[in-house]
Amino acid sequence: MDQRILMELRRNGRITLTELGKKVNLTPASVKNRLEKLMSIGAVKGYTAVLEPTFLDEFVQALIEVEITSEANLDKILLSIAMMENVLDVYRKTGEYQIFIRANFKSREELNEFLKKLSYRILKANLRRYKVSILLDQFKESGILTKKVPKNERRYRRY
């Protein structure tokens, strides 16, 4: 039951308790109790809106992969990156690059300033190299399709 509630919340974080209850066959009071339990154990980390970055004058979206020389103090480094203003997501990952960052910027100049700050203030001598990719288009974010699927288009079915 909890997984059904979580899946519905993933689809629509603004769903009312009444609507959610109807979808999972529970009363609004039961849904509220289960949601409070899910929040207390950390299954629900928070609620947020998925925004179009251009409405915030953020026209450059970047994916940044960082290779470091040592994993000493990596948690501290990751938290420092996470607290940077432009950063949306920060991940520790496997592979050649240990850190993955998704961030939005108003311009390429702002991205360059961010990279300087990341290199010289946060990573310092721990930086081996980084790789930056600029996003050209987006089709899905946070589980939400950001492109409209043409009606009567069979090629775009769910698999």
Side-chain angles (χ1 to χ4, degrees):
M1 183 60 61
D2 288 344
Q3 285 188 343
R4 288 179 58 204
I5 290 171
L6 292 172
M7 292 301 290
E8 290 299 329
L9 281 176
R10 178 187 279 172
R11 281 188 206 98
N12 180 4
R14 293 181 47 140
I15 192 168
T16 66
L17 294 177
T18 302
E19 290 175 271
L20 185 53
K22 285 178 185 174
K23 288 188 179 271
V24 298
N25 297 320
L26 291 174
T27 65
S30 294
V31 170
K32 183 177 187 247
N33 290 337
R34 285 181 175 268
L35 272 177
E36 287 173 353
K37 181 190 93 172
L38 290 167
M39 289 174 74
S40 71
I41 63 171
V44 177
K45 296 180 181 182
Y47 298 91
T48 188
V50 178
L51 304 175
E52 169 55 46
T54 57
F55 283 93
L56 299 171
D57 294 329
E58 296 173 340
F59 299 103
V60 178
Q61 296 183 36
L63 303 177
I64 304 161
E65 294 180 276
V66 180
E67 183 180 359
I68 54 177
T69 57
S70 166
E71 293 202 14
N73 299 316
L74 184 55
D75 284 347
K76 183 180 174 186
I77 290 169
L78 291 167
L79 286 172
S80 296
I81 295 169
M83 295 180 69
M84 294 176 80
E85 184 178 333
N86 301 82
V87 173
L88 301 172
D89 302 303
V90 180
Y91 301 96
R92 174 187 306 172
K93 64 182 213 60
T94 61
E96 193 174 353
Y97 296 89
Q98 296 88 353
I99 301 171
F100 182 85
I101 304 165
R102 186 171 68 96
N104 287 349
F105 305 94
K106 296 183 185 312
S107 65
R108 288 188 317 261
E109 292 77 19
E110 188 177 54
L111 169 58
N112 283 328
E113 288 303 311
F114 173 88
L115 293 171
K116 288 177 189 174
K117 187 176 182 181
L118 180 67
S119 300
Y120 300 117
R121 290 192 192 160
I122 294 178
L123 295 170
K124 303 174 187 167
N126 206 14
L127 173 65
R128 177 164 292 141
R129 64 184 171 152
Y130 59 80
K131 178 171 73 173
V132 179
S133 300
I134 303 296
L135 297 180
L136 300 176
D137 206 353
Q138 183 178 54
F139 289 82
K140 190 172 188 176
E141 180 179 12
S142 299
I144 298 170
L145 282 174
T146 56
K147 294 284 184 191
K148 298 290 183 200
V149 176
K151 289 186 177 183
N152 301 325
E153 185 60 63
R154 292 180 175 238
R155 290 182 297 160
Y156 296 104
R157 336 175 248 194
R158 288 190 173 196
Y159 293 96

